[in-house]
Amino acid sequence: MKIVKLGLSLLVMLSFFACNQDDIGEMATRSDVVKKSDIPDDNWHAALDITEALDTVSLQIAEKIRNHKVVALSVFGEEGSAGYGPSDGYLGLTIGDDGLTCGFNVYVTGSAGNRIFLVSRASCSRNSALEFKVPFNTGADASGMIWFSPTTKECRFRSTPFVDPNKTCYLWMVFATDFIPAGYGYYKRYLPRHLDLSKAYWEAISHSEYKHLDLSPNVNYFR
């Protein structure tokens, strides 16, 4: 009788274990689905949160973007000592460029409209990593490759013009604001701010969402 009871107990335990395994498998599958749902179904663009990188001028720049006062934007790769960045009229710092040279535009979001995102003009299909050229401020016509993976949420420079692999490169940004009908077309430019791509928060946004963003700079606001 004891043997029968022991056998029944073992069967109950095995049945319980099998049920739990099914639950665990179902949970893992659901988790996988949730993770993948972050990737849009259509083509996607990479949007980087640069609010903290702009530091003390983030609120000023957010207001300029909301009021369509950003008239030129330069985004470029450089080592830690970028100094004062590109000169006027260089690497996109001129009216009418509309982010074409640097490959990015900016927009604001959040309940208070004070989160600032850089969004790539380039896009790619759902199952692909996004990779495109960005200019480098080296005093010559140089560029590197920036890379975004939607599955691992990783972004980094895939290649740079620098031979020394120990050099730390950042994504630098220069904003020019307040249109004037003279010179290079703007009244104020902000000193370069930089973003460490290895620590940056970014998200994939669908092309359909991208088409409805209020992007800056936009030359239509100044004509």
Side-chain angles (χ1 to χ4, degrees):
M1 191 69 181
K2 286 184 179 179
I3 293 172
V4 172
K5 286 183 178 178
L6 181 61
L8 286 171
S9 299
L10 283 171
L11 283 172
V12 170
M13 287 174 66
L14 285 170
S15 173
F16 178 76
F17 180 74
C19 289
N20 276 342
Q21 285 294 93
D22 287 344
D23 290 342
I24 290 167
E26 187 180 356
M27 285 169 63
T29 305
R30 285 177 184 167
S31 174
D32 229 18
V33 169
V34 170
K35 189 174 182 180
K36 288 180 180 175
S37 70
D38 291 338
I39 309 170
D41 290 330
D42 61 354
N43 280 18
W44 60 274
H45 300 252
L48 284 153
D49 189 339
I50 61 170
T51 313
E52 274 71 38
L54 296 177
D55 196 24
T56 56
V57 298
S58 65
L59 291 178
Q60 295 175 43
I61 291 177
E63 183 180 7
K64 297 290 185 184
I65 296 170
R66 284 195 302 271
N67 294 322
H68 305 134
K69 297 292 186 182
V70 173
V71 296
L73 169 69
S74 184
V75 181
F76 55 95
E78 180 59 284
E79 319 170 43
S81 55
Y84 287 89
S87 57
D88 292 331
Y90 182 57
L91 291 186
L93 276 177
T94 184
I95 289 290
D97 183 83
D98 277 9
L100 291 170
T101 298
C102 67
F104 288 94
N105 291 94
V106 288
Y107 66 95
V108 289
T109 187
S111 57
N114 59 3
R115 301 302 302 180
I116 305 170
F117 277 77
L118 269 180
V119 60
S120 67
R121 296 179 67 91
S123 66
C124 72
S125 61
R126 185 183 191 277
N127 296 317
S128 302
L130 177 60
E131 186 175 30
F132 58 93
K133 284 184 178 180
V134 289
F136 265 68
N137 187 33
T138 60
D141 185 14
S143 63
M145 298 298 290
I146 192 170
W147 180 82
F148 298 86
S149 169
T151 52
T152 64
K153 288 294 184 183
E154 182 185 4
C155 65
R156 59 183 170 85
F157 285 112
R158 199 176 183 92
S159 67
T160 73
F162 304 119
V163 178
D164 186 353
N166 295 317
K167 287 187 175 179
T168 302
C169 292
Y170 298 103
L171 198 67
W172 290 81
M173 302 152 285
V174 179
F175 287 80
T177 65
D178 302 286
F179 173 73
I180 55 172
Y184 287 99
Y186 46 82
Y187 177 73
K188 179 177 177 60
R189 61 177 280 176
Y190 292 82
L191 293 179
R193 261 60 178 193
H194 71 269
L195 184 69
D196 183 346
L197 289 179
S198 66
K199 301 174 183 175
Y201 169 80
W202 71 277
E203 56 191 40
I205 63 170
S206 68
H207 184 64
S208 54
E209 182 183 351
Y210 172 84
K211 289 190 296 184
H212 291 95
L213 292 173
D214 189 7
L215 299 175
S216 292
N218 186 332
V219 71
N220 294 323
Y221 293 132
F222 314 114
R223 287 180 175 169

